[in-house]
Amino acid sequence: MRKEHDYTAGIAWTGNRGEGTRTYKGYDRTWEIRTAGKVPVLCSNDPLLGGDPSRHNPEDLLLSALASCHMLWYLHLASNAGIAVSAYEDHPIATGETEASGAGRFLRATLHPKITVPAGTDLIKADAIHHEIHKYCYIARSVSFPVTYAAEYLEETVSEE
């Protein structure tokens, strides 16, 4: 049985320099994500569009959400499969395009998880988990561009003392 549930977030524009949007170059493209009970996240638009490169932009946030969702499902499914993951990091890459009008979209994303497991782990079994995640990951199931992965596995060695 399916059930619906809501997610909430809050944003607040912080880029008014005193004149609002009176002129196109007279305001900053900055805002904060202010979700109740959570630490604010400072944001700006894409640096390609004049945004502050030190702040997260919507593209960063979408790619991070995609990689985070994949990671959380990987950890869950690995645990269910008896695979002990001791470290996981990812540096995903997404490719986008921008049309002459300024409209843009993501074309594809590749996740690059680096996963540390104990020596002797069945790496074929560990890798197969990635193919199951698309059945569950909220974000991957919601985007309209292809998501692939290129995982790397590091095996922990037990030091003898």
Side-chain angles (χ1 to χ4, degrees), residues 13 15-23 26-27:
W13 177 49
N16 186 346
R17 295 184 200 152
E19 295 285 321
T21 60
R22 185 173 307 279
T23 64
Y27 63 96

Side-chain angles (χ1 to χ4, degrees), residues 66-143:
L66 181 63
S68 297
C69 188
H70 186 93
M71 175 192 70
L72 291 168
W73 274 107
Y74 186 88
L75 297 173
H76 175 84
L77 295 173
S79 178
N80 286 352
I83 297 172
V85 174
S86 60
Y88 185 114
E89 65 180 70
D90 195 350
H91 299 278
I93 299 171
T95 301
E97 71 175 358
T98 305
E99 297 175 6
S101 68
R105 67 181 180 139
F106 280 110
L107 298 174
R108 64 189 159 277
T110 302
L111 307 179
H112 294 274
K114 186 182 294 185
I115 303 165
T116 304
V117 294
T121 297
D122 182 342
L123 298 182
I124 293 172
K125 183 178 176 183
D127 199 58
I129 292 170
H130 293 284
H131 297 290
E132 297 300 311
I133 293 171
H134 72 277
K135 295 177 186 175
Y136 305 102
C137 175
Y138 221 90
I139 309 303
R141 290 173 46 86
S142 300
V143 299

